[in-house]
Amino acid sequence: MKKLAFVLIILSGLSSSCKRYLDIVPDNVATLDNAFSLRGEAEKYLFTCYFYLPRESDYNGSPALLGGDEIWELPDINTTSIYRNLAQGNQNVLEPIGGEYWNRMYMGIRDCNIFLSNIGRVPDIQPYERQQWIAEAKFLKAYYHFILLRMYGPVPLVRANLPISAGPDEVKVFREPVDTCFNYIVQLLDEAKDDLPQVINDPQYFGKITKPVAYSLKAKILTYAASPLFNGNAEQATLKNADGRQLFNTAYDEKKWQRAAEACKEAIGVCEAAGIKLYEQPKNLLQYELSDTMQVQLGLRKAVTEKWNSEIIWANTQSWNSWFQNLASPDWDPSPQARVWMDNRYNAPLKIAEQFYTKNGLPISEDKTWDYQARYTTRTATTPYRLYLKTGYTTAALNFDREPRFYAYLGFDGGIWFGQGKFDDKKDGELFYLQTKLGDPLGKSSAFTGPVTGYSLKKLIHPENLRATTSYTIVQYPWPLMRLADLYLLYSECLNEAAGPSPLVFQYLNKVRARAGVPDVEKAWTEFSRTPSKITGKDGVRQIIHRERLNELAFEQNRFWDLRRWKEAVTEMNRAISGWNVYGSDVASYYRATTLFVPRFGLKDYFFPLSEYERNVNPNLVQNIGW
């Protein structure tokens, strides 16, 4: 019995009691025969393989949502995200924050392996469909391995499930070198990508894996493999298995960037052939004709919140953004009798608000026409700003003359919030705007409601949500795992790293900027920058591309991983989390930058620790550096 339980632990990718998993590991022949006896039963098993996809829109579902420095949570509420402790530097090895991913991903891999081993026995299935399902399972197996690799670095690869007869030595698996892990994941994707459909037309199957999804994930994974965290990371030189096998290749290989660039180019071609394109809001909304300003704003917001829009490559139907919208929304009717859990509980720190460009497409410290030193002073909005700022309202100078993404992605004191049933932007005096000082309609009313920093997450809240007297109607959407803008920016990044600045690097960068209403890189840096030479060298363009990704993909859970793969987290994640003084009741007291927390991030935090329990069960699992 002890031997059987030990084998089942490894098969499940788990370290728990025998009793807990004996009833779910399908080691019974009759159970497997039933699961793959007919097409319909096999399809149910395939859906089980999808079940393990992370719940990105759940505040406890992903470390990248609330475990970093991009979104800060209300500090004094009864229910907080488990990942708040990660953001505060409280990771540990006894009960690692995020440790459930180790269990869950290996469970998913196990079920994918069971599916792949048995799908050939299903009698009533067409050959083309069998091949497609095999490709889906291989993709998911690759993706679950990638999630583990991204979190933990080198991990054990489960190419096939161990048999029940496996001995104790067989189940004590080793972590495999990073390059081996990446190569195996890409191999699975290569085996899968051309057996997948180009598009899915049946709505009941939206969210299933397609050819564009597989090609795009391959491009992203190869970009990770080429990035500094995994490519020539000398700081990981001492991470070795007990047998002395080195887990990181410390020699930097520029060719990895070229390989990633080629994969990006191929993926872009596949996506565009499937009709995937950057989303743009139609000129008309309901019976109203939008101004250019609002058309751009809505295009930026709906590229994320409009389900199955033209830009979505892959969206996670295991994670529909509904409840998080509730918790993140300012409450347009905060009276006690109208309580509907609109808490404005999650806000962006001040440094994220400062991260976005000026209207000239430059960082605020770089634009010679923008007064950086006066950013914390205040100004009163005039008529030319009417679709961004409430006319006559006094707000921070930081909120003036910014790029459209600043206004599309953030809500703030004095800022226009287009929506809530008000779509006639010619009647700008009727549009909603935020008033978030203490005592204002949307200011703090208790310790359990926001604002937190003064910058709400407008980007993640569908513009057609509607607050009624005692209800809040939410337009939910599946969490977007990859958009075309992401792929375009990866391509620019890989091209620059492989060969330096070029017209092609700027071409794909400018595609994203043009949709956002931002001037081309060349124009912005030539005409308005304090250091125009920055666009002429690889290092300068790298910084530009990194900032572009942080702006375009803000709040979509890319920053958490991008800062790590670039090895920039040790700088960025140690900067203070600050916001406006949300307890201030007037302009003078509210607009004071206030530090909420000073996070800690060290070398060891680039990778999650393995739990001590896992390592006690399997001593061959060497711990990550620093833990």
Side-chain angles (χ1 to χ4, degrees):
M1 182 62 189
K2 290 181 180 178
K3 177 181 176 182
L4 176 60
F6 193 42
V7 173
L8 289 176
I9 286 169
I10 300 300
L11 284 172
S12 304
L14 297 169
S15 303
S16 189
S17 68
C18 163
K19 181 178 178 182
R20 180 180 175 188
Y21 294 107
L22 279 174
D23 59 341
I24 66 166
V25 176
D27 58 334
N28 182 285
V29 174
T31 302
L32 284 179
D33 282 345
N34 180 65
F36 295 95
S37 60
L38 295 169
R39 177 195 175 281
E41 296 302 314
E43 187 175 35
K44 290 178 185 177
Y45 207 104
L46 178 60
F47 291 154
T48 299
C49 294
Y50 277 88
F51 170 76
Y52 300 99
L53 289 170
R55 281 35 171 190
E56 286 86 1
S57 65
D58 183 343
Y59 63 92
N60 277 329
S62 169
L65 185 64
L66 295 170
D69 65 340
E70 191 171 37
I71 301 174
W72 207 246
E73 185 178 10
L74 199 67
D76 45 8
I77 56 175
N78 293 324
T79 303
T80 59
S81 167
I82 58 174
Y83 293 112
R84 177 178 176 79
N85 285 309
L86 185 63
Q88 292 181 326
N90 296 324
Q91 183 61 284
N92 68 94
V93 297
L94 295 178
E95 294 185 6
I97 302 163
E100 70 279 0
Y101 268 79
W102 182 272
N103 298 341
R104 186 178 179 87
M105 293 305 101
Y106 277 120
M107 288 178 69
I109 292 167
R110 175 209 65 193
D111 280 352
C112 290
N113 281 338
I114 291 171
F115 181 88
L116 291 168
S117 297
N118 290 277
I119 186 60
R121 301 196 288 112
V122 180
D124 59 333
I125 186 173
Q126 295 295 319
Y128 80 89
E129 192 170 42
R130 191 192 312 272
Q131 285 303 111
Q132 179 183 327
W133 290 6
I134 289 172
E136 290 177 55
K138 286 184 175 180
F139 173 95
L140 291 169
K141 180 179 174 181
Y143 187 58
Y144 297 149
H145 273 106
F146 171 61
I147 289 174
L148 290 166
L149 175 59
R150 186 171 61 177
M151 290 182 69
Y152 296 99
V155 292
L157 298 175
V158 185
R159 295 173 176 84
N161 290 346
L162 292 172
I164 297 299
S165 60
D169 289 339
E170 292 178 84
V171 299
K172 292 180 180 179
V173 295
F174 287 89
R175 300 174 73 175
E176 300 204 31
V178 158
D179 287 346
T180 303
C181 294
F182 276 115
N183 289 338
Y184 179 63
I185 292 168
V186 171
Q187 174 192 327
L188 287 173
L189 294 175
D190 281 338
E191 292 173 3
K193 60 185 175 32
D194 292 321
D195 288 327
L196 294 162
Q198 188 175 35
V199 296
I200 291 176
N201 296 313
D202 187 342
Q204 70 173 320
Y205 291 118
F206 284 176
K208 290 192 76 177
I209 308 305
T210 62
K211 190 174 179 178
V213 173
Y215 273 82
S216 298
L217 182 64
K218 176 184 174 181
K220 175 164 275 193
I221 287 172
L222 285 174
T223 304
Y224 271 74
S227 297
L229 185 62
F230 298 103
N231 185 4
N233 188 349
E235 293 171 338
Q236 297 292 326
T238 60
L239 186 62
K240 300 178 181 180
N241 280 334
D243 60 5
R245 191 180 188 191
Q246 194 159 17
L247 297 178
F248 276 83
N249 185 341
T250 58
Y252 176 75
D253 185 358
E254 195 172 82
K255 293 179 181 178
K256 290 181 178 181
W257 284 110
Q258 184 58 44
R259 186 185 180 197
E262 291 167 359
C264 287
K265 179 181 179 180
E266 199 172 15
I268 288 170
V270 169
C271 288
E272 291 179 344
I276 297 171
K277 59 183 179 180
L278 295 178
Y279 178 79
E280 293 186 2
Q281 169 67 31
K283 189 68 174 174
N284 295 312
L285 178 64
L286 301 176
Q287 70 269 35
Y288 305 110
E289 182 176 335
L290 297 171
S291 66
D292 292 343
T293 297
M294 284 307 180
Q295 187 180 13
V296 170
Q297 265 206 50
L298 280 188
L300 289 165
R301 293 173 67 183
K302 286 192 172 184
V304 171
T305 62
E306 188 72 6
K307 62 183 179 181
W308 315 124
N309 71 74
S310 65
E311 187 170 337
I312 299 295
I313 298 173
W314 185 24
N316 184 3
T317 53
Q318 298 293 322
S319 184
W320 288 76
N321 189 5
S322 177
W323 183 236
F324 187 84
Q325 290 191 69
N326 251 106
L327 299 178
S329 294
D331 192 350
W332 303 102
D333 185 2
S335 55
Q337 64 271 23
R339 179 73 172 149
V340 292
W341 295 103
M342 297 170 69
D343 289 339
N344 200 4
R345 181 177 294 183
Y346 309 114
N347 279 191
L350 191 56
K351 68 175 181 178
I352 301 299
E354 292 184 277
Q355 169 188 287
F356 289 95
Y357 296 145
T358 68
K359 66 180 182 180
N360 294 321
L362 293 169
I364 57 176
S365 61
E366 185 68 47
D367 190 331
K368 61 187 180 183
T369 71
W370 202 86
D371 192 348
Y372 179 76
Q373 298 303 323
R375 67 193 185 281
Y376 292 167
T377 62
T378 58
R379 289 172 56 183
T380 300
T382 55
T383 302
Y385 296 98
R386 61 188 182 80
L387 295 180
Y388 290 142
L389 304 164
K390 176 65 176 176
T391 302
Y393 201 93
T394 300
T395 186
L398 182 67
N399 302 332
F400 285 78
D401 298 314
R402 305 298 298 277
E403 63 160 308
R405 284 178 297 207
F406 176 86
Y407 301 104
Y409 292 178
L410 297 172
F412 53 87
D413 183 50
I416 299 297
W417 191 296
F418 188 69
Q420 287 291 315
K422 302 282 189 179
F423 298 116
D424 187 355
D425 58 8
K426 295 179 181 60
K427 297 180 179 178
D428 54 277
E430 298 180 6
L431 297 178
F432 286 99
Y433 65 100
L434 300 190
Q435 301 173 78
T436 57
K437 293 186 275 299
L438 189 66
D440 282 349
L442 300 177
K444 286 191 72 65
S445 57
S446 74
F448 306 106
T449 60
V452 184
T453 67
Y455 286 98
S456 303
L457 308 179
K458 188 194 295 186
K459 180 181 186 177
L460 299 181
I461 299 167
H462 199 286
E464 293 175 35
N465 289 357
L466 187 62
R467 176 70 158 103
T469 304
T470 57
S471 65
Y472 183 42
T473 302
I474 289 174
V475 179
Q476 61 177 344
Y477 57 91
W479 192 272
L481 293 172
M482 199 160 189
R483 298 192 281 123
L484 188 61
D486 184 359
L487 187 56
Y488 281 171
L489 294 174
L490 288 177
Y491 189 32
S492 288
E493 180 182 353
C494 293
L495 287 170
N496 182 64
E497 296 296 341
S502 69
L504 197 57
V505 169
F506 295 135
Q507 177 184 335
Y508 282 89
L509 201 53
N510 288 335
K511 284 176 181 283
V512 175
R513 292 168 68 99
R515 190 273 298 277
V518 177
D520 288 353
V521 174
E522 303 93 323
K523 177 181 174 63
W525 287 85
T526 301
E527 297 183 12
F528 302 103
S529 171
R530 300 180 192 277
T531 55
S533 62
K534 196 166 188 174
I535 61 172
T536 63
K538 180 189 287 191
D539 292 345
V541 173
R542 176 188 299 127
Q543 293 174 29
I544 292 169
I545 293 170
H546 287 189
R547 177 66 69 93
E548 195 68 46
R549 282 189 63 80
L550 296 177
N551 288 350
E552 173 64 28
L553 303 173
F555 315 130
E556 295 180 53
Q557 303 189 35
N558 283 277
R559 177 186 174 92
F560 184 90
W561 302 114
D562 277 346
L563 290 179
R564 282 165 167 76
R565 71 178 176 90
W566 295 330
K567 290 183 67 177
E568 294 178 3
V570 76
T571 299
E572 284 296 317
M573 293 291 292
N574 282 307
R575 294 175 56 201
I577 302 295
S578 60
W580 300 125
N581 174 30
V582 296
Y583 290 94
S585 57
D586 56 23
V587 170
S589 60
Y590 182 89
Y591 287 109
R592 286 192 287 107
T594 303
T595 298
L596 303 178
F597 187 78
V598 180
R600 304 184 307 274
F601 190 99
L603 173 62
K604 68 178 184 178
D605 296 303
Y606 276 109
F607 293 111
F608 286 56
L610 278 63
S611 76
E612 285 299 288
Y613 182 74
E614 295 285 351
R615 298 185 64 242
N616 288 334
V617 170
N618 179 6
N620 287 338
L621 293 176
V622 63
Q623 183 60 279
N624 278 327
I625 292 174
W627 298 105

